[in-house]
Amino acid sequence: MSKQLQNLSFYVLFSVIFLVSVIFNFEALAFYSKPFIIPAIVLYYFLTNQVKTNYLFLFSILFFYVGDVISLNENPSLHEIGLVSFSIPYFFVLYILVKRLKEINVYKRIDFFNFSHLLMTIIMVVLMLMVLNNVELDTKFEYYIYLVFGLQLVFMGILSSVLYLNENGQSGLFLSLAVASFIISDMFYILNKNLVELSVFKFINALSQTVSYFFYSRYFIVNMKK
């Protein structure tokens, strides 16, 4: 077994257990396996990263962990807190995307208004409006949380697509994959939670969320080696 796989072994183990629990609706198994996924990916980060620790990664992954734990609790009053917990690290992701694009724009003029970027913008905005118009929200405060959350996903999707099209290398690829996974995970979480509960929605949410943490950690590991 390669060192890379050895470092990932705990993450893979708990991820597989969690995904199996989602497929077969073993709620108790999901409750005890999911909280270990992020600690396992943090362990992988420390075992693989040979340069220096990025505290932005640790701070953001902490909020993802809080959101994960809250999502396991069926208490409706904690739902909004969970959304805020996921929303906070998305501001960090947006900061990273803007910073990377500014760095690229210094030596390569980025055209933000080409057809691909405009098409991506239209698709993301339409998806956000469709979700907001179809989910049942109890309060205006909850609506505003979803609105901010939706706008974050829209801008993350647009900026990550621009980054992917203008940067060659693993760093931009992993960041774009992480953002794509975040978006897919959140879209299906909201659909399953607020529109209609389907096993396939729940599984897509679980799978995309699980792999998003790997892509997110890989971005920081690869970027630190540059």
Side-chain angles (χ1 to χ4, degrees):
M1 182 183 292
S2 68
K3 187 176 180 181
Q4 175 85 348
L5 289 176
Q6 285 180 334
N7 295 343
L8 269 175
S9 56
F10 285 110
Y11 163 75
V12 173
L13 173 64
F14 289 114
S15 296
V16 170
I17 293 173
F18 171 62
L19 292 174
V20 169
S21 72
V22 172
I23 293 172
F24 294 102
N25 201 29
F26 296 151
E27 294 185 3
L29 188 59
F31 186 84
Y32 288 109
S33 59
K34 190 176 185 180
F36 287 98
I37 293 175
I38 286 183
I41 207 66
V42 172
L43 176 63
Y44 164 71
Y45 171 81
F46 280 117
L47 291 174
T48 309
N49 178 30
Q50 301 296 322
V51 190
K52 64 179 181 178
T53 301
N54 189 304
Y55 292 100
L56 182 62
F57 168 74
L58 296 181
F59 196 57
S60 57
I61 208 75
L62 173 63
F63 282 102
F64 281 131
Y65 181 76
V66 172
D68 269 358
V69 172
I70 290 175
S71 69
L72 292 170
N73 195 310
E74 296 298 326
N75 189 342
S77 63
L78 296 176
H79 178 58
E80 294 174 2
I81 299 175
L83 287 176
V84 172
S85 297
F86 283 113
S87 179
I88 292 173
Y90 285 168
F91 284 113
F92 300 146
V93 175
L94 284 167
Y95 165 76
I96 293 168
L97 286 166
V98 171
K99 182 181 178 183
R100 292 303 298 271
L101 288 172
K102 286 176 67 177
E103 292 170 353
I104 294 171
N105 200 48
V106 170
Y107 62 87
K108 179 183 179 181
R109 191 67 181 175
I110 298 175
D111 181 12
F112 288 94
F113 300 100
N114 66 33
F115 177 75
S116 298
H117 300 159
L118 292 175
L119 180 62
M120 184 65 182
T121 302
I122 293 170
I123 292 172
M124 293 298 298
V125 171
V126 169
L127 285 173
M128 183 190 73
L129 292 175
M130 285 175 61
V131 171
L132 285 175
N133 287 332
N134 286 284
V135 297
E136 294 182 6
L137 304 176
D138 298 325
T139 65
K140 278 193 173 183
F141 179 65
E142 189 177 8
Y143 174 82
Y144 290 129
I145 291 178
Y146 271 97
L147 180 61
V148 171
F149 202 67
L151 288 172
Q152 285 180 309
L153 296 180
V154 168
F155 284 113
M156 282 165 53
I158 296 167
L159 294 177
S160 65
S161 68
V162 175
L163 178 66
Y164 177 75
L165 293 171
N166 288 277
E167 182 183 43
N168 297 320
Q170 290 186 339
S171 180
L173 173 62
F174 281 123
L175 186 56
S176 298
L177 288 173
V179 170
S181 300
F182 290 147
I183 293 171
I184 294 170
S185 172
D186 292 334
M187 291 290 288
F188 280 95
Y189 173 79
I190 292 170
L191 290 173
N192 186 69
K193 194 83 174 176
N194 298 86
L195 191 60
V196 56
E197 288 192 17
L198 294 175
S199 297
V200 65
F201 285 179
K202 193 173 182 180
F203 177 73
I204 294 173
N205 162 247
L207 177 62
S208 53
Q209 184 182 50
T210 301
V211 299
S212 70
Y213 299 138
F214 169 73
F215 293 138
Y216 192 57
S217 65
R218 284 300 300 169
Y219 161 73
F220 284 97
I221 292 169
V222 170
N223 197 49
M224 292 297 285
K225 291 180 180 179
K226 292 176 64 177

